[in-house]
Amino acid sequence: SVARSALRLNAKDGKPARWGRTRSRTLVNALPSPTSALESASQVTAAKVTSVQLTQQALDAIAEHEDLGAFLHVNADVAINHARQIDERSESDDSAEDRPLLGVPIAVKDNLCTSDMPTTAGSKVLENYTPPYDATAVQNLRKAGAVIVGKTNLDEFGMGSTNEASAYHVVRNPWATDRVPGGSSGGSAAAVAANLVAAAIGTDTGGSIRQPASFCGIVGFKPTYGLVSRYGLISYASSLDTVGCLARSVDDAEAVLMAMAGGDASDATSSYHRDDANNTGGGDMESTRFALVGAALGEGVDSGVSAAVRAAAATLESLGATCDGDVDVPNFEDALPAYYAIACSEASSNLSRFDGARYGPRASVEKGASLQSMYDETRGSNLGEEVKRRILMGTYALSSGYYDACYKRAQQVRTLVRRGLDEALEGRTCLLLPAAPTVAYKLGEKTDDPLAMYAGDLMTVPASLAGLPAVVIPCGMADAGDGTMMPVGLQLIGKSFSERELARVAKALEKAIAFKGL
């Protein structure tokens, strides 16, 4: 079995290994039975199953379905050894119940540092890089008892919405493999949706957890900015990046998120203090008040998506919650251009280190060539087109003569977006809206039209600019336009540090909707 040795998935011509000529298929009948992360941990704690058994099962599933392209690195030997240590320790450790993810196999997005596996951020410029340390989020997962089985594929440096911008190979949506899984956490989303692992870690800068969760019919949880440390995360846009998770249930997503959460001396933006008033996690649905974001349900949104979201809102209302109807969120539609101005500006600064001198392979240049020539050749040959595009946009926005008109103005709009969301959330538990204006589209459909791809982030970037938490749950299916039915994701946005309150509402909806995944 490929899973019994260290595995590095590679492909040629942008196609996953052994894909052959198959262009479209569904994996519904080919997947193993889903297993809850919390249920697995409970079984390990009760000695009903071993972590080694769970880990081997995950490794076998990953190897069997490597055609999806969900993983970039899998170190089976390390994972099995870690699982064996957990089993040995659990036999004599009375504190096993304090580790909520005991023995559970989990995948980690490949832009979070791991000391026992490469960390490439989906880029050729970091192809052979293995960090000397674990990211804080990864450390916290290990402390909670999780077994890291592999690193998942992503758009290069997290820049993309389809996972087609990976320097290694594309990721395919398990519901229909000729369609995108979303991005940039598409590998993590596909791995969870395909039942390869019970949960996976992703990162969300402008929707990179929520949009893939929507496209793949799973739960995606983006926390409040600062709830989870960013130390060890390869930065895209530092003021926007958050570490969150994807799972098949809200219970699992909440458990994984809280296992990673907490202040960190290595990250000055991480939070030690939480607003208990917003993080109660209690109360019945009669105490819940919500509204729909009108601008996210109008022109440009597929009718099937709008219908599924409105049906979910009606379901929530039937559970006893109070619906205030559609509300106008001031400056909601201004968030998209402001987001790209800020994110690209920060990216142009953060990615300057990948120059062949500090990080990355150094390109060969002619004898006597300038240092600038070496930089140009290194970055030109090792960075992808989407990364170069965003660096150029960000450098332009920060350049002399344009800083005030672009970057400074975008930051001012960001403040207005935050005020608008705070105003809309006043007296309410959450806001409801789609996670994306469409269901998953076909591979290659928007490759040549980056502006159309950027427009798909309209629903997710407001919460990112405001630093607010948001959770996505599947709420139904919609026609992709050719008769193919694909999942629709419902997004719930809450107040800062109201993760448990959001989870409470999401769990009630999840139970009532009873969405059937793969």
Side-chain angles (χ1 to χ4, degrees):
S1 170
V2 179
R4 286 177 168 79
S5 61
L7 174 64
R8 172 69 182 271
L9 304 182
N10 290 305
K12 297 180 179 179
D13 302 323
K15 296 181 180 179
R18 301 203 301 272
W19 187 250
R21 296 184 179 180
T22 304
R23 296 181 61 84
S24 175
R25 65 177 182 178
T26 179
L27 301 182
V28 173
N29 297 320
L31 300 173
S33 300
T35 303
S36 160
L38 289 177
E39 180 184 347
S40 295
S42 176
Q43 290 177 343
V44 172
T45 301
K48 294 181 179 179
V49 68
T50 68
S51 179
V52 168
Q53 289 174 321
L54 292 175
T55 302
Q56 188 61 63
Q57 181 184 47
L59 291 170
D60 288 341
I62 291 168
E64 182 180 355
H65 298 290
E66 66 177 279
D67 292 349
L68 287 174
F71 283 82
L72 290 178
H73 321 284
V74 175
N75 194 326
D77 292 337
V78 168
I80 290 294
N81 286 336
H82 186 200
R84 186 174 294 113
Q85 291 172 11
I86 288 174
D87 289 333
E88 292 171 354
R89 180 181 174 187
S90 298
E91 293 176 0
S92 58
D93 188 355
D94 294 334
S95 65
E97 293 184 1
D98 296 330
R99 290 178 282 166
L101 302 176
L102 187 66
V104 178
I106 286 180
V108 173
K109 188 175 178 180
D110 198 33
N111 59 350
L112 284 157
C113 289
T114 47
S115 59
D116 52 8
M117 274 180 273
T119 300
T120 68
S123 177
K124 290 291 186 183
V125 79
L126 287 174
E127 186 169 9
N128 298 311
Y129 177 63
T130 299
Y133 66 98
D134 284 338
T136 297
V138 174
Q139 289 178 10
N140 290 344
L141 286 174
R142 295 193 198 274
K143 289 176 184 177
V147 177
I148 310 302
V149 293
K151 306 293 291 293
T152 55
N153 203 349
L154 69 155
D155 288 299
E156 187 176 5
F157 288 107
M159 300 181 188
S161 300
T162 65
N163 230 135
E164 294 172 290
S166 169
Y168 298 97
H169 53 254
V170 301
V171 180
R172 297 172 182 269
N173 193 315
W175 288 83
T177 54
D178 62 341
R179 294 183 180 272
V180 302
S184 63
S185 303
S188 291
V192 171
N195 301 324
L196 308 184
V197 289
I201 307 310
T203 60
D204 193 306
T205 305
S208 292
I209 286 175
R210 290 163 286 160
Q211 185 242 34
S214 176
F215 281 8
C216 290
I218 58 174
V219 175
F221 216 140
K222 170 210 171 300
T224 304
Y225 182 80
L227 182 69
V228 180
S229 170
R230 292 184 298 109
Y231 182 68
L233 167 64
I234 298 176
S235 297
Y236 164 16
S238 303
S239 73
L240 296 161
D241 292 339
T242 56
V243 180
C245 60
L246 301 104
R248 286 192 292 274
S249 72
V250 180
D251 275 332
D252 280 359
E254 182 184 21
V256 174
L257 183 62
M258 291 306 165
M260 294 189 294
D264 180 13
S266 298
D267 178 7
T269 64
S270 65
S271 175
Y272 289 87
H273 306 289
R274 305 177 193 178
D275 187 344
D276 292 335
N278 288 340
N279 212 19
T280 61
D284 51 29
M285 295 310 296
E286 282 72 20
S287 66
T288 300
R289 193 177 198 94
F290 72 95
L292 292 151
V293 178
L297 292 164
E299 184 179 354
V301 181
D302 284 0
S303 59
V305 171
S306 296
V309 169
R310 291 195 181 279
T315 299
L316 184 56
E317 193 171 12
S318 72
L319 295 175
T322 300
C323 179
D324 291 334
D326 291 12
V327 296
D328 177 40
V329 179
N331 302 107
F332 184 86
E333 293 173 315
D334 297 327
L336 188 64
Y339 163 80
Y340 274 100
I342 293 169
C344 292
S345 296
E346 294 183 11
S348 73
S349 175
N350 281 329
L351 270 63
S352 63
R353 71 195 70 175
F354 303 107
D355 54 13
R358 289 166 288 185
Y359 290 93
R362 184 174 301 184
S364 299
V365 293
E366 294 181 1
K367 186 176 181 180
S370 67
L371 182 62
Q372 185 63 50
S373 297
M374 187 274 288
Y375 287 161
D376 293 345
E377 183 62 29
T378 296
R379 290 164 68 80
S381 59
N382 287 292
L383 295 177
E385 293 303 313
E386 183 60 31
V387 172
K388 293 177 188 175
R389 182 182 296 115
R390 298 196 190 198
I391 289 175
L392 287 172
M393 288 193 294
T395 303
Y396 177 86
L398 293 174
S399 62
S400 177
Y402 296 98
Y403 178 91
D404 287 349
C406 295
Y407 184 74
K408 182 178 179 181
R409 181 65 60 84
Q411 291 287 17
Q412 292 169 335
V413 171
R414 181 181 196 168
T415 300
L416 295 176
V417 170
R418 173 62 188 258
R419 289 175 183 171
L421 284 170
D422 286 345
E423 177 183 318
L425 284 165
E426 185 67 32
R428 299 186 177 104
T429 307
C430 59
L431 300 174
L432 270 58
L433 67 162
T438 69
V439 295
Y441 39 87
K442 290 192 174 183
L443 289 162
E445 186 174 324
K446 298 187 178 181
T447 304
D448 298 327
D449 189 359
L451 291 180
M453 183 178 68
Y454 298 164
D457 296 333
L458 175 64
M459 316 299 185
T460 53
V461 296
S464 296
L465 286 178
L468 298 178
V471 62
V472 168
I473 63 171
C475 65
M477 304 287 284
D479 192 336
D482 60 357
T484 303
M485 300 301 289
M486 297 297 291
V488 176
L490 170 70
Q491 181 180 192
L492 294 79
I493 299 176
K495 300 172 184 176
S496 293
F497 300 106
S498 65
E499 279 79 4
R500 292 200 184 279
E501 189 75 359
L502 277 180
R504 177 183 66 83
V505 178
K507 288 175 193 177
L509 260 176
E510 178 183 56
K511 182 178 180 180
I513 293 172
F515 180 84
K516 300 297 182 183
L518 291 175

